[in-house]
Amino acid sequence: MNVVWFSLIAVLWIGYFFLEGFDFGVGVLTRGLARDRRERRVLINTIGPVWDGNEVWLLTAGGATFAAFPEWYATLFSGFYIPLLLILICLIVRGVAFEYRSKRPEERWQRNWEHAIFWTSLLPAFLWGVAFANIVRGVPIDADGEYVGNLFTLLNGYALLGGAVTLLLFTFHGAVFIALKTVGEVRERARALAGRLGLVTAALAVAFLGWTQLGTGTAWSLLALVIAAGALVAALFANRAGREGWAFGLSGVTIAAAVTMLFLTLYPAVMPSSLNAEWDLTVVNAAATPYTLTIMTWVAAIATPIVLLYQGWTYWVFRKRIGVQHLAPDPHGPADGGTGPATTGPDTGGPGSPDAPESPDAPGSPDRVPTA
């Protein structure tokens, strides 16, 4: 059961980084890809119906870690308190920004919330890489399982490189998602930007994963590295060919393989000690009781398919491409050289939102998002 739950937690983190990865990437690109407020509205609306559902994976991963490996959870959250608190604050502010941005028509109000979306997408994308790189590298843990380092212990070269890789990889993933979900000039610019981002991402990712493999790698982690590198290269070719569905799927495979590699290099430890290998937290000494793990397995077997079904249904309902022509007119008049943001309801593209794309069966709605 210990190994099963270690594997399930790895799957939950893969799901979170796959889904929240493009979510963060879109948030970052609201400042680098969109040229005006109308285009920023389009980008925000591509993730409007799904961003909050994507965060469920984080809650599940954290809850599963707390229940299955309480010693791991305790040491991780006490030792990484500041970066994890910053991530939590960012996620709170980010959710408020999505919901409050369109509540008032003033340009300054909306611009400030758009800046909040950008920064609260960029910082977590970077900090998650720093956190996971430190987990894999090992941190100072004493014989009692207590973290004895400080914040600056976490800011080492390997961890900072890991943060840069996750930030770039998520931004690339987001650019491919935008190309998949939009029409017109935004789509073309997203494809072009994804091509440039992918090259930089590939260089840094190979450096980081190669460093990891040389340090604690195994034959299985090497296979995962090869899959991650191959999928990223294939995603670049698919993006160049205009096959956005394939490009998005392959960028997701890159994230999945990279996270799998990190967990493979970590096992059987869950949090290595840089002071003494005998003080490592492992799948054995950090785990809950067998009875607890058995109950959790039954609960997960029942609840997980339900969660996957309703989240998949959400993506299916909002599967259409959108563009600036699908935005609702601004009743207060143009504030950005054209269609300004709507002011009656959340500007997130959800059901009932004035900025929501047309329904799948509406006349004149954009083409269905291709699967390849």
Side-chain angles (χ1 to χ4, degrees):
M1 281 297 177
N2 304 47
V3 177
V4 169
W5 272 98
F6 179 81
S7 303
L8 288 176
I9 289 172
V11 170
L12 290 171
W13 281 109
I14 289 170
Y16 175 66
F17 287 140
F18 179 94
L19 296 172
E20 193 84 311
F22 73 76
D23 200 319
F24 286 144
V26 172
V28 171
L29 291 173
T30 56
R31 306 306 304 178
L33 179 65
R35 291 180 175 174
D36 54 37
R37 289 169 60 199
R38 290 181 301 165
E39 292 187 353
R40 279 192 287 277
R41 292 173 68 197
V42 171
L43 266 57
I44 292 171
N45 283 330
T46 61
I47 59 174
V50 299
W51 68 266
D52 46 356
N54 294 344
E55 292 184 357
V56 171
W57 288 78
L58 173 61
L59 299 176
T60 308
T65 304
F66 171 76
F69 298 99
E71 293 293 333
W72 182 13
Y73 183 93
T75 302
L76 175 65
F77 276 76
S78 60
F80 291 36
Y81 181 81
I82 292 179
L84 292 179
L85 179 62
L86 287 175
I87 291 173
L88 177 60
I89 292 172
C90 284
L91 294 180
I92 292 172
V93 174
R94 189 168 182 265
V96 173
F98 281 131
E99 297 297 335
Y100 275 44
R101 174 186 163 275
S102 64
K103 294 298 185 181
R104 289 170 55 179
E106 291 87 351
E107 181 179 356
R108 181 179 179 183
W109 169 272
Q110 296 182 358
R111 184 175 63 249
N112 288 340
W113 286 120
E114 288 167 359
H115 281 296
I117 291 172
F118 168 76
W119 287 108
T120 56
S121 298
L122 185 149
L123 287 175
F126 175 77
L127 290 174
W128 279 127
V130 172
F132 268 81
N134 275 296
I135 292 173
V136 172
R137 175 177 179 264
V139 292
I141 299 174
D142 64 17
D144 296 322
E146 298 289 338
Y147 177 80
V148 293
N150 54 47
L151 175 62
F152 296 102
T153 306
L154 305 177
L155 302 179
N156 53 80
Y158 176 76
L160 294 176
L161 178 59
V165 169
T166 53
L167 175 58
L168 285 171
L169 185 56
F170 292 167
T171 307
F172 169 73
H173 196 39
V176 175
F177 179 77
I178 292 169
L180 178 65
K181 286 287 293 178
T182 58
V183 294
E185 292 184 8
V186 175
R187 176 189 179 188
E188 297 303 320
R189 291 204 306 274
R191 282 180 53 200
L193 180 59
R196 296 192 295 272
L197 277 173
L199 294 175
V200 180
T201 303
L204 290 184
V206 168
F208 174 70
L209 295 179
W211 190 346
T212 305
Q213 178 65 27
L214 291 174
T216 55
T218 64
W220 286 108
S221 64
L222 178 60
L223 176 61
L225 189 159
V226 172
I227 293 173
L232 183 55
V233 172
L236 285 169
F237 279 105
N239 176 73
R240 184 179 179 85
R243 304 297 296 273
E244 290 103 342
W246 281 104
F248 179 70
L250 288 164
S251 66
V253 171
T254 302
I255 292 174
V259 177
T260 299
M261 179 190 173
L262 295 182
F263 275 89
L264 287 171
T265 59
L266 192 58
Y267 182 82
V270 293
M271 204 163 179
S273 172
S274 59
L275 302 179
N276 190 328
E278 295 181 358
W279 299 341
D280 289 354
L281 298 181
T282 69
V283 294
V284 176
N285 63 24
T289 64
Y291 180 75
T292 299
L293 297 179
T294 300
I295 296 297
M296 289 176 60
T297 302
W298 281 105
V299 173
I302 296 171
T304 302
I306 298 173
V307 173
L308 293 176
L309 283 173
Y310 81 68
Q311 191 165 21
W313 177 80
T314 301
Y315 277 90
W316 173 254
V317 169
F318 295 98
R319 65 191 182 277
K320 299 291 184 172
R321 294 180 184 268
I322 61 173
V324 292
Q325 66 269 33
H326 303 113
L327 298 178
D330 182 5
H332 296 273
D336 50 17
T339 305
T343 58
T344 57
D347 185 13
T348 59
S353 167
D355 272 5
E358 300 175 39
S359 65
D361 299 322
S365 61
D367 293 337
R368 179 177 299 178
V369 175
T371 57

PDB file of all heavy atoms in Angstrom, residues 58-59 82-94 124 127-128:
ATOM      1  N   LEU A  58      -4.662  20.012  -6.842  1.00  0.00           N
ATOM      2  CA  LEU A  58      -3.716  20.394  -5.789  1.00  0.00           C
ATOM      3  C   LEU A  58      -4.269  20.031  -4.414  1.00  0.00           C
ATOM      4  O   LEU A  58      -3.548  19.495  -3.563  1.00  0.00           O
ATOM      5  CB  LEU A  58      -3.429  21.892  -5.864  1.00  0.00           C
ATOM      6  CG  LEU A  58      -2.584  22.473  -4.730  1.00  0.00           C
ATOM      7  CD1 LEU A  58      -1.208  21.820  -4.690  1.00  0.00           C
ATOM      8  CD2 LEU A  58      -2.467  23.983  -4.866  1.00  0.00           C
ATOM      9  N   LEU A  59      -5.541  20.337  -4.197  1.00  0.00           N
ATOM     10  CA  LEU A  59      -6.158  20.003  -2.908  1.00  0.00           C
ATOM     11  C   LEU A  59      -6.121  18.501  -2.667  1.00  0.00           C
ATOM     12  O   LEU A  59      -5.842  18.039  -1.550  1.00  0.00           O
ATOM     13  CB  LEU A  59      -7.609  20.499  -2.883  1.00  0.00           C
ATOM     14  CG  LEU A  59      -7.811  22.010  -3.035  1.00  0.00           C
ATOM     15  CD1 LEU A  59      -9.301  22.339  -3.084  1.00  0.00           C
ATOM     16  CD2 LEU A  59      -7.135  22.763  -1.911  1.00  0.00           C
ATOM     17  N   ILE A  82       7.514  29.170   3.951  1.00  0.00           N
ATOM     18  CA  ILE A  82       7.426  30.471   3.271  1.00  0.00           C
ATOM     19  C   ILE A  82       7.068  30.312   1.800  1.00  0.00           C
ATOM     20  O   ILE A  82       6.124  30.965   1.316  1.00  0.00           O
ATOM     21  CB  ILE A  82       8.735  31.265   3.459  1.00  0.00           C
ATOM     22  CG1 ILE A  82       8.889  31.664   4.939  1.00  0.00           C
ATOM     23  CG2 ILE A  82       8.739  32.519   2.579  1.00  0.00           C
ATOM     24  CD1 ILE A  82      10.156  32.420   5.246  1.00  0.00           C
ATOM     25  N   PRO A  83       7.781  29.470   1.011  1.00  0.00           N
ATOM     26  CA  PRO A  83       7.385  29.347  -0.398  1.00  0.00           C
ATOM     27  C   PRO A  83       5.975  28.782  -0.575  1.00  0.00           C
ATOM     28  O   PRO A  83       5.235  29.231  -1.461  1.00  0.00           O
ATOM     29  CB  PRO A  83       8.442  28.416  -1.006  1.00  0.00           C
ATOM     30  CG  PRO A  83       9.144  27.787   0.143  1.00  0.00           C
ATOM     31  CD  PRO A  83       9.030  28.737   1.278  1.00  0.00           C
ATOM     32  N   LEU A  84       5.566  27.838   0.275  1.00  0.00           N
ATOM     33  CA  LEU A  84       4.217  27.288   0.150  1.00  0.00           C
ATOM     34  C   LEU A  84       3.167  28.310   0.554  1.00  0.00           C
ATOM     35  O   LEU A  84       2.074  28.361  -0.034  1.00  0.00           O
ATOM     36  CB  LEU A  84       4.086  26.016   0.987  1.00  0.00           C
ATOM     37  CG  LEU A  84       4.898  24.818   0.487  1.00  0.00           C
ATOM     38  CD1 LEU A  84       4.705  23.616   1.411  1.00  0.00           C
ATOM     39  CD2 LEU A  84       4.518  24.444  -0.945  1.00  0.00           C
ATOM     40  N   LEU A  85       3.479  29.153   1.547  1.00  0.00           N
ATOM     41  CA  LEU A  85       2.561  30.224   1.917  1.00  0.00           C
ATOM     42  C   LEU A  85       2.424  31.232   0.779  1.00  0.00           C
ATOM     43  O   LEU A  85       1.317  31.715   0.486  1.00  0.00           O
ATOM     44  CB  LEU A  85       3.058  30.917   3.181  1.00  0.00           C
ATOM     45  CG  LEU A  85       2.203  32.098   3.673  1.00  0.00           C
ATOM     46  CD1 LEU A  85       0.800  31.638   4.034  1.00  0.00           C
ATOM     47  CD2 LEU A  85       2.875  32.782   4.866  1.00  0.00           C
ATOM     48  N   LEU A  86       3.537  31.551   0.112  1.00  0.00           N
ATOM     49  CA  LEU A  86       3.476  32.467  -1.034  1.00  0.00           C
ATOM     50  C   LEU A  86       2.616  31.888  -2.150  1.00  0.00           C
ATOM     51  O   LEU A  86       1.825  32.601  -2.777  1.00  0.00           O
ATOM     52  CB  LEU A  86       4.889  32.748  -1.549  1.00  0.00           C
ATOM     53  CG  LEU A  86       5.765  33.656  -0.689  1.00  0.00           C
ATOM     54  CD1 LEU A  86       7.175  33.727  -1.270  1.00  0.00           C
ATOM     55  CD2 LEU A  86       5.163  35.048  -0.601  1.00  0.00           C
ATOM     56  N   ILE A  87       2.748  30.590  -2.396  1.00  0.00           N
ATOM     57  CA  ILE A  87       1.918  29.946  -3.414  1.00  0.00           C
ATOM     58  C   ILE A  87       0.448  30.038  -3.022  1.00  0.00           C
ATOM     59  O   ILE A  87      -0.420  30.357  -3.855  1.00  0.00           O
ATOM     60  CB  ILE A  87       2.343  28.479  -3.607  1.00  0.00           C
ATOM     61  CG1 ILE A  87       3.717  28.407  -4.274  1.00  0.00           C
ATOM     62  CG2 ILE A  87       1.303  27.721  -4.446  1.00  0.00           C
ATOM     63  CD1 ILE A  87       4.288  26.998  -4.354  1.00  0.00           C
ATOM     64  N   LEU A  88       0.138  29.769  -1.757  1.00  0.00           N
ATOM     65  CA  LEU A  88      -1.242  29.823  -1.288  1.00  0.00           C
ATOM     66  C   LEU A  88      -1.825  31.226  -1.449  1.00  0.00           C
ATOM     67  O   LEU A  88      -2.957  31.390  -1.929  1.00  0.00           O
ATOM     68  CB  LEU A  88      -1.314  29.383   0.171  1.00  0.00           C
ATOM     69  CG  LEU A  88      -2.698  29.443   0.834  1.00  0.00           C
ATOM     70  CD1 LEU A  88      -3.683  28.545   0.104  1.00  0.00           C
ATOM     71  CD2 LEU A  88      -2.598  29.066   2.306  1.00  0.00           C
ATOM     72  N   ILE A  89      -1.055  32.236  -1.064  1.00  0.00           N
ATOM     73  CA  ILE A  89      -1.522  33.622  -1.212  1.00  0.00           C
ATOM     74  C   ILE A  89      -1.775  33.942  -2.679  1.00  0.00           C
ATOM     75  O   ILE A  89      -2.790  34.568  -3.039  1.00  0.00           O
ATOM     76  CB  ILE A  89      -0.510  34.598  -0.594  1.00  0.00           C
ATOM     77  CG1 ILE A  89      -0.462  34.433   0.931  1.00  0.00           C
ATOM     78  CG2 ILE A  89      -0.856  36.046  -0.948  1.00  0.00           C
ATOM     79  CD1 ILE A  89       0.641  35.229   1.605  1.00  0.00           C
ATOM     80  N   CYS A  90      -0.865  33.516  -3.534  1.00  0.00           N
ATOM     81  CA  CYS A  90      -1.029  33.760  -4.968  1.00  0.00           C
ATOM     82  C   CYS A  90      -2.304  33.107  -5.497  1.00  0.00           C
ATOM     83  O   CYS A  90      -3.054  33.715  -6.287  1.00  0.00           O
ATOM     84  CB  CYS A  90       0.176  33.230  -5.738  1.00  0.00           C
ATOM     85  SG  CYS A  90       1.662  34.256  -5.617  1.00  0.00           S
ATOM     86  N   LEU A  91      -2.579  31.884  -5.089  1.00  0.00           N
ATOM     87  CA  LEU A  91      -3.769  31.191  -5.576  1.00  0.00           C
ATOM     88  C   LEU A  91      -5.046  31.876  -5.083  1.00  0.00           C
ATOM     89  O   LEU A  91      -6.048  31.926  -5.811  1.00  0.00           O
ATOM     90  CB  LEU A  91      -3.740  29.730  -5.133  1.00  0.00           C
ATOM     91  CG  LEU A  91      -2.625  28.870  -5.743  1.00  0.00           C
ATOM     92  CD1 LEU A  91      -2.712  27.441  -5.229  1.00  0.00           C
ATOM     93  CD2 LEU A  91      -2.688  28.880  -7.271  1.00  0.00           C
ATOM     94  N   ILE A  92      -5.012  32.400  -3.860  1.00  0.00           N
ATOM     95  CA  ILE A  92      -6.177  33.123  -3.340  1.00  0.00           C
ATOM     96  C   ILE A  92      -6.399  34.410  -4.131  1.00  0.00           C
ATOM     97  O   ILE A  92      -7.511  34.688  -4.601  1.00  0.00           O
ATOM     98  CB  ILE A  92      -5.987  33.433  -1.845  1.00  0.00           C
ATOM     99  CG1 ILE A  92      -6.008  32.137  -1.029  1.00  0.00           C
ATOM    100  CG2 ILE A  92      -7.076  34.382  -1.351  1.00  0.00           C
ATOM    101  CD1 ILE A  92      -5.629  32.324   0.427  1.00  0.00           C
ATOM    102  N   VAL A  93      -5.332  35.206  -4.282  1.00  0.00           N
ATOM    103  CA  VAL A  93      -5.454  36.474  -5.004  1.00  0.00           C
ATOM    104  C   VAL A  93      -5.839  36.222  -6.461  1.00  0.00           C
ATOM    105  O   VAL A  93      -6.640  36.972  -7.039  1.00  0.00           O
ATOM    106  CB  VAL A  93      -4.138  37.270  -4.907  1.00  0.00           C
ATOM    107  CG1 VAL A  93      -4.193  38.521  -5.781  1.00  0.00           C
ATOM    108  CG2 VAL A  93      -3.847  37.646  -3.462  1.00  0.00           C
ATOM    109  N   ARG A  94      -5.305  35.160  -7.041  1.00  0.00           N
ATOM    110  CA  ARG A  94      -5.589  34.849  -8.448  1.00  0.00           C
ATOM    111  C   ARG A  94      -7.078  34.554  -8.639  1.00  0.00           C
ATOM    112  O   ARG A  94      -7.699  35.035  -9.599  1.00  0.00           O
ATOM    113  CB  ARG A  94      -4.741  33.648  -8.868  1.00  0.00           C
ATOM    114  CG  ARG A  94      -4.742  33.327 -10.344  1.00  0.00           C
ATOM    115  CD  ARG A  94      -3.632  32.324 -10.621  1.00  0.00           C
ATOM    116  NE  ARG A  94      -3.549  31.995 -12.029  1.00  0.00           N
ATOM    117  CZ  ARG A  94      -4.128  30.942 -12.597  1.00  0.00           C
ATOM    118  NH1 ARG A  94      -4.840  30.111 -11.868  1.00  0.00           N
ATOM    119  NH2 ARG A  94      -3.992  30.719 -13.892  1.00  0.00           N
ATOM    120  N   PRO A 124       3.705  31.198  -8.679  1.00  0.00           N
ATOM    121  CA  PRO A 124       3.537  29.770  -8.371  1.00  0.00           C
ATOM    122  C   PRO A 124       4.206  28.862  -9.388  1.00  0.00           C
ATOM    123  O   PRO A 124       4.755  27.816  -9.023  1.00  0.00           O
ATOM    124  CB  PRO A 124       2.012  29.582  -8.378  1.00  0.00           C
ATOM    125  CG  PRO A 124       1.456  30.924  -8.121  1.00  0.00           C
ATOM    126  CD  PRO A 124       2.403  31.874  -8.781  1.00  0.00           C
ATOM    127  N   LEU A 127       7.758  28.857  -8.252  1.00  0.00           N
ATOM    128  CA  LEU A 127       7.991  28.313  -6.908  1.00  0.00           C
ATOM    129  C   LEU A 127       7.738  26.808  -6.833  1.00  0.00           C
ATOM    130  O   LEU A 127       8.401  26.111  -6.057  1.00  0.00           O
ATOM    131  CB  LEU A 127       7.112  29.051  -5.895  1.00  0.00           C
ATOM    132  CG  LEU A 127       7.516  30.504  -5.619  1.00  0.00           C
ATOM    133  CD1 LEU A 127       6.487  31.180  -4.720  1.00  0.00           C
ATOM    134  CD2 LEU A 127       8.903  30.576  -4.988  1.00  0.00           C
ATOM    135  N   TRP A 128       6.807  26.282  -7.620  1.00  0.00           N
ATOM    136  CA  TRP A 128       6.603  24.831  -7.614  1.00  0.00           C
ATOM    137  C   TRP A 128       7.860  24.111  -8.103  1.00  0.00           C
ATOM    138  O   TRP A 128       8.227  23.054  -7.584  1.00  0.00           O
ATOM    139  CB  TRP A 128       5.406  24.454  -8.477  1.00  0.00           C
ATOM    140  CG  TRP A 128       4.074  24.613  -7.816  1.00  0.00           C
ATOM    141  CD1 TRP A 128       2.987  25.308  -8.274  1.00  0.00           C
ATOM    142  CD2 TRP A 128       3.664  24.051  -6.558  1.00  0.00           C
ATOM    143  NE1 TRP A 128       1.937  25.219  -7.389  1.00  0.00           N
ATOM    144  CE2 TRP A 128       2.324  24.448  -6.326  1.00  0.00           C
ATOM    145  CE3 TRP A 128       4.299  23.262  -5.599  1.00  0.00           C
ATOM    146  CZ2 TRP A 128       1.622  24.080  -5.189  1.00  0.00           C
ATOM    147  CZ3 TRP A 128       3.582  22.893  -4.458  1.00  0.00           C
ATOM    148  CH2 TRP A 128       2.269  23.297  -4.264  1.00  0.00           C
TER     149      TRP A 128
END
